[in-house]
Amino acid sequence: MKNTAIEEIKKTLEKLDYNIDNINISVSVPKNKKFGDLSTNIAFIISKKLNLPTMEVATTISNKLESSNIFKEINIAEPGFINFKINPSAIVDNIKDILDSGSNYGKNTSFENKTVLVEFVSANPTGPLTVGHGRGAILGDILSNIFQWNGYKVTREYYYNNAGRQMRILGESVKSRYFEILDKNKKIDFPENGYLGDYIKDIAKEIIKTDSNIDINEVDIFKDVAEKYIFKDINNTLKNLGITFDLFFNENTLYENKSIYKIIDKLKSKGLIYEKDGATWFEGTKVGRENDRVLIKKTGEPTYRLPDMAYHINKLDRKYDLCIDIFGADHMDAYPDVLEVVKQLDYDQNRIKVLIHQFISILKNNKQVKMSTRKATYITLDELIDEVGSDVVRYFFIMRSLNSHLNFDLDIAKEKSEKNPVFYIQYAYARIMTILTKNDLDLENYDLSLINSEQEIKLINKLIDFKSIIKKISTNMEPQILAT
């Protein structure tokens, strides 16, 4: 009912002679219920601006508000708080709106005609999605849903790279396993920092099924097959989580259309590029950054920052009103340089919002499960889904602030008791559905006056709050509020 109360206060201020524009009206729930259901400090704000006694302002507002049927009782507490008790019938009247809206309840058009690009997951096809990718994947998907509910036209985008050093190592890893399987007696050198997971052997076996006579120098064959195999696996995992993408953007595009070199040329024209030790540097310190950054190594190979810069310019050139990046904490150091270059190239960096989520730990028997992608000692997202179910995975990944480290407790996730929030929600849902299906309820004809107990009013208040929560998350981007 906070929003309803705020609207009533706004109307009252308009009727009074308080000529204050763009005033921020705050309504809160008092810690002590004896003061009422809601409280506002609006009298303090107005008295300060207009140099009037606070109690006088509070009394004037209170007297005018008393004509509203929303409030059962209004009282003033020293030194000027206005407290309200809500009329239960005014709360109950909201049920009709909720029932009429059905599954669309909470949707609004706050950002109608606005566009948003949400980039998330963006894992290169070098291995299966692990629990480390899961948090960003689910965060991106749920925020995309929230944006849609607030009227945005949403594009979900996956950015990946199927070239470069890591993909070469992937190809070499598969090649080694391929020849190892074909000739068990022949010693094959496995690449340094190669990928050790069983999936590498599985890919090699798939290649052998179709061709067991590949030349040892044909690394690209192994890389290409591995990429297709892994990307298909990634898509299946995302499908298991109910996640689909509108666009897949390949980093290679930025090389093919020379976008990365255009960035260098534009920065050079602004005096922000210099050569040192055979490498090409961005002079970040010249524009307030703590360090200068290498953009092209002395080998001629771009560092990862350069294509990221070109990619963000590409996003902005596509005219999205808002671009959301969802990164893990390992990107904390890199993205400020990207945003600075966007700014220096005369783009509005405020159209880009970067969300950094903290790492995740898997707990089992109260102990952390140690994981390493390179050594293949990780838990894949598919394994986690198989063990606890996709509903549990989605909820657990979103129930803490993205700024908090997340401990995913497998034992609690599998509990069938009140310890597991998802089980509790599902249990409540099942009980409600039993009531709806086993009793011949007439949801078209109802008597709202029968709803008057304290618990019923509190529940309806929660349902009313849902609308404001959906709006709130579209701007603060903290979906854990919804989970809570």
Side-chain angles (χ1 to χ4, degrees):
M1 288 295 289
K2 283 184 185 179
N3 283 348
T4 306
I6 289 170
E7 287 304 315
E8 288 298 311
I9 295 169
K10 273 184 184 175
K11 290 177 192 174
T12 298
L13 294 180
E14 287 169 6
K15 293 174 186 175
L16 295 167
D17 294 330
Y18 300 137
N19 185 21
I20 299 173
D21 296 324
N22 302 318
I23 192 165
N24 182 29
I25 301 171
S26 174
V27 170
S28 60
V29 178
K31 290 181 180 178
N32 191 333
K33 287 296 287 181
K34 77 175 184 179
F35 291 115
D37 301 312
L38 298 171
S39 180
T40 180
N41 65 346
I42 188 66
F44 293 93
I45 298 170
I46 293 174
S47 64
K48 186 176 180 181
K49 283 182 177 287
L50 301 183
N51 196 26
L52 293 170
T54 305
M55 288 296 287
E56 178 187 314
V57 172
T59 302
T60 304
I61 294 172
S62 176
N63 290 339
K64 206 74 175 173
L65 280 169
E66 283 179 353
S67 61
S68 171
N69 65 353
I70 299 296
F71 307 115
K72 180 181 178 183
E73 185 181 315
I74 302 174
N75 62 76
I76 301 168
E78 291 278 4
F81 290 101
I82 304 173
N83 302 316
F84 314 99
K85 284 191 176 178
I86 303 296
N87 188 342
S89 63
I91 297 172
V92 171
D93 286 345
N94 285 273
I95 290 181
K96 189 175 187 311
D97 173 43
I98 294 168
L99 289 173
D100 290 345
S101 299
S103 59
N104 288 319
Y105 179 66
K107 289 183 179 179
N108 64 83
T109 56
S110 299
F111 295 95
E112 195 174 24
N113 302 320
K114 294 287 186 180
T115 58
V116 58
L117 175 72
V118 186
E119 184 222 328
F120 58 110
V121 184
S122 298
N124 291 338
T126 56
L129 293 182
T130 68
V131 293
H133 299 110
R135 192 172 193 183
I138 293 162
L139 179 64
D141 191 49
I142 290 175
L143 280 176
S144 295
N145 292 338
I146 293 288
F147 289 137
Q148 285 176 319
W149 272 49
N150 283 279
Y152 274 108
K153 184 179 179 183
V154 178
T155 301
R156 292 166 164 87
E157 183 158 289
Y158 187 125
Y159 173 77
Y160 72 100
N161 179 20
N162 63 352
R165 180 172 174 271
Q166 297 305 321
M167 293 302 291
R168 289 197 299 275
I169 292 174
L170 174 69
E172 291 285 356
S173 301
V174 174
K175 183 187 80 171
S176 296
R177 295 302 185 213
Y178 173 89
F179 287 106
E180 186 181 87
I181 293 168
L182 285 176
D183 189 352
K184 293 181 180 178
N185 296 319
K186 186 176 180 181
K187 181 170 174 56
I188 304 294
D189 289 331
F190 198 75
E192 186 180 358
N193 295 324
Y195 293 91
L196 297 169
D198 287 340
Y199 69 97
I200 299 295
K201 294 178 182 177
D202 294 337
I203 296 168
K205 289 174 184 176
E206 286 296 314
I207 297 172
I208 289 170
K209 284 180 185 177
T210 56
D211 191 346
S212 59
N213 197 30
I214 300 173
D215 187 274
I216 197 165
N217 295 312
E218 297 284 351
V219 181
D220 281 351
I221 292 176
F222 299 101
K223 180 183 76 67
D224 293 344
V225 173
E227 178 196 338
K228 289 174 185 172
Y229 181 98
I230 292 168
F231 214 76
K232 182 180 178 182
D233 182 66
I234 287 172
N235 269 314
N236 286 337
T237 302
L238 294 170
K239 189 177 178 182
N240 287 339
L241 285 170
I243 297 173
T244 57
F245 283 89
D246 302 300
L247 294 174
F248 289 87
F249 190 102
N250 193 334
E251 185 182 317
N252 261 359
T253 306
L254 304 170
Y255 291 81
E256 292 165 0
N257 63 19
K258 311 297 183 186
S259 290
I260 60 170
Y261 303 108
K262 290 174 186 174
I263 297 293
I264 296 293
D265 291 341
K266 289 176 181 177
L267 289 173
K268 194 175 287 184
S269 70
K270 291 177 175 286
L272 294 173
I273 291 292
Y274 66 90
E275 305 293 325
K276 178 185 172 184
D277 300 328
T280 302
W281 294 69
F282 165 56
E283 195 170 0
T285 50
K286 195 173 183 179
V287 289
R289 298 294 303 140
E290 288 185 11
N291 300 297
D292 296 345
R293 299 293 186 183
V294 174
L295 296 185
I296 300 178
K297 303 174 189 176
K298 62 182 179 182
T299 60
E301 184 181 11
T303 62
Y304 64 88
R305 276 182 174 82
L306 182 55
D308 275 0
M309 292 166 181
Y311 176 47
H312 281 79
I313 295 298
N314 176 282
K315 287 181 183 182
L316 295 174
D317 281 341
R318 284 186 268 163
K319 305 300 181 186
Y320 287 99
D321 295 300
L322 184 61
C323 298
I324 306 292
D325 292 341
I326 297 176
F327 297 143
D330 52 337
H331 283 72
M332 185 74 77
D333 184 51
Y335 83 84
D337 294 320
V338 174
L339 293 184
E340 186 59 46
V341 166
V342 167
K343 178 183 174 183
Q344 294 304 319
L345 296 183
D346 303 320
Y347 286 84
D348 182 4
Q349 64 173 337
N350 293 320
R351 285 164 56 198
I352 300 172
K353 175 72 174 175
V354 179
L355 302 179
I356 299 286
H357 61 83
Q358 294 303 310
F359 294 114
I360 176 173
S361 297
I362 300 293
L363 303 181
K364 193 170 187 177
N365 299 324
N366 292 320
K367 291 183 180 179
Q368 184 175 331
V369 179
K370 291 186 178 180
M371 292 184 285
S372 165
T373 303
R374 180 72 63 192
K375 295 178 181 177
T377 56
Y378 50 73
I379 297 174
T380 68
L381 261 178
D382 280 333
E383 288 170 334
L384 193 61
I385 294 165
D386 289 342
E387 191 152 357
V388 300
S390 61
D391 282 353
V392 175
V393 172
R394 284 182 71 96
Y395 187 93
F396 271 56
F397 272 126
I398 215 71
M399 69 181 180
R400 297 284 179 266
S401 166
L402 58 91
N403 297 313
S404 303
H405 183 92
L406 177 65
N407 288 325
F408 193 113
D409 194 315
L410 282 172
D411 299 317
I412 291 177
K414 290 190 284 186
E415 275 265 359
K416 288 182 168 53
S417 74
E418 72 279 1
K419 291 180 182 177
N420 180 352
V422 182
F423 175 80
Y424 214 53
I425 293 165
Q426 292 173 331
Y427 180 71
Y429 175 77
R431 292 296 298 271
I432 291 166
M433 292 309 295
T434 300
I435 294 169
L436 290 175
T437 55
K438 288 197 173 182
N439 296 280
D440 190 19
L441 296 178
D442 183 359
L443 293 179
E444 299 300 321
N445 300 294
Y446 43 80
D447 182 358
L448 296 181
S449 67
L450 297 173
I451 299 174
N452 49 38
S453 75
E454 184 181 350
Q455 288 299 321
E456 288 167 340
I457 300 301
K458 283 174 71 176
L459 179 56
I460 297 167
N461 262 322
K462 280 291 180 189
L463 298 177
I464 295 167
D465 286 347
F466 178 73
K467 291 177 77 172
S468 60
I469 286 170
I470 292 295
K471 282 187 179 180
K472 187 176 182 179
I473 298 171
S474 70
T475 53
N476 70 11
M477 301 181 200
E478 295 185 5
Q480 80 278 1
I481 299 169
L482 185 59
T484 302

